[in-house]
Amino acid sequence: MLVDLRSDTVTRPTPAMRRAMADAEVGDDQYGEDPTVRLLEETFADITGKEAAMLVPSGTMGNQVCLLALTRPGDAVVVGARQHVVLYEAGAGPANAGVTWLAVPDEHGRLNVGDVEAAIDAAAHHQPVPSAVALEDTHMAAGGTVWPKDRLDAVSELARRRGLRVHLDGARLWHAAVATGGTLRERAAAATTVTCCLSKGLAAPIGSLVAGPLDVMDAAHLARKRLGGAMRQAGVIAAAGLVALRDGVERLAEDHERARRLGAAVAERWPEGCLPRAGVQTNIVVFSPPDPGGLLRHLGESGVLAGTIAPGVVRLVTHADVDDAGVDAACDAIARAPGP
Ligand SMILES: Cc1ncc(COP(=O)(O)O)c(C=O)c1O
């Protein structure tokens, strides 16, 4: 048995998704004629409480179309230094939208209101002028951490007071909602635009969704077209997305519980502490063991695939295709890890 904990994107579409894809009613989405895409977009606009929504092929494109819609070339974007949009999108934001990052430190993935305010104030001292703030919830690099709702609202309130719009990279916003017992809508309310991924944890093969106000979504449509992301009979993708929304969200609680078990195994193996202090909050475990290369080799030899996201930082991610037996095997391999 191979236990693949490299990412929650490695899942295969469920049988229900494959059936829905085969049976999907489709049309040319660039003419606005794909009923299944339209249904998915309307559903997402409704659950996020936004005026309009749009299907894009990937989370990266979701972030990019929002940057393009919210900023002009030369604008700065206040952002946490470890966010996906800064570190893991191959420089797409500066390359596509011409933005510069005003990167501030994060605390377990969350920004401090004071840091964001200082970055905005710096424009008065000949520094780049920000027009947007970008946030990430849950925060991948911090280990799937969830923004406390009051902190999210405080940063959002500051941004709006200072005339900046807010983009929320909510690739795993479903995970945050499930972990807190809250709703997507109340988290998305903090943002002008929000991106969520159907392909992470929810087990859909392709697709992310973007939502926001009508005027911004008009600009986002144009940006998607320019990036080559406007699709045709995309209902085959949207059909799997609708099944993901129906079947995938509540199930995430199982992933969170399994990730907690993996975190406990890590804490027991290295009691001196190599997990972030925030602990395991959702489906991602990041930690810095004494010999990361040796650990990856040992896990691989034990049939457990893990990855790294920064020098020395190992990541384990639970998802729909990992069950309790797989997590047992991974915990056992962690307990047997050689070395210090
Ligand atoms: C927080 C976050 N945002 C955006 C993305 C990009 O998604 P995609 O891989 O679909 O482009 C990811 C991918 O893992 C992510 O973790």
Side-chain angles (χ1 to χ4, degrees), residues 78-205:
V78 184
V79 67
R82 293 189 293 168
Q83 283 176 211
H84 197 279
V85 77
V86 177
L87 291 186
Y88 301 99
E89 297 184 8
N96 291 322
V99 295
T100 52
W101 303 126
L102 275 177
V104 300
D106 69 80
E107 198 177 58
H108 304 302
R110 305 131 191 173
L111 311 193
N112 285 310
V113 175
D115 290 336
V116 176
E117 188 145 41
I120 298 170
D121 288 343
H125 305 278
H126 317 290
Q127 294 188 20
V129 183
S131 57
V133 177
L135 309 173
E136 186 176 313
D137 186 23
T138 67
H139 193 289
M140 189 278 285
T145 47
V146 179
W147 275 71
K149 179 72 177 46
D150 52 353
R151 181 101 157 238
L152 194 59
D153 290 343
V155 172
S156 164
E157 199 278 319
L158 164 72
R160 283 168 204 230
R161 187 158 35 85
R162 300 295 299 268
L164 277 66
R165 294 187 288 185
V166 177
H167 173 60
L168 179 58
D169 176 352
R172 298 182 184 81
L173 199 60
W174 336 95
H175 298 73
V178 166
T180 56
T183 63
L184 222 59
R185 182 182 280 246
E186 67 193 14
R187 285 183 176 265
T192 318
T193 53
V194 60
T195 303
C196 297
C197 294
L198 298 162
S199 55
K200 295 175 187 71
L202 301 193

Side-chain angles (χ1 to χ4, degrees), residues 60-61 64-65 67-68 71 73 89 91-99 226-227:
T60 300
M61 192 179 287
Q64 294 307 306
V65 297
L67 287 173
L68 282 158
T71 66
E89 297 184 8
N96 291 322
V99 295
R226 286 187 175 145
L227 292 175

Side-chain angles (χ1 to χ4, degrees), residues 12-38:
R12 306 291 199 281
T14 63
M17 285 176 189
R18 289 182 188 269
R19 277 195 302 276
M21 293 171 84
D23 295 344
E25 234 190 286
V26 296
D28 190 329
D29 187 45
Q30 287 204 40
Y31 289 101
E33 290 173 1
D34 191 304
T36 312
V37 171
R38 283 222 296 266

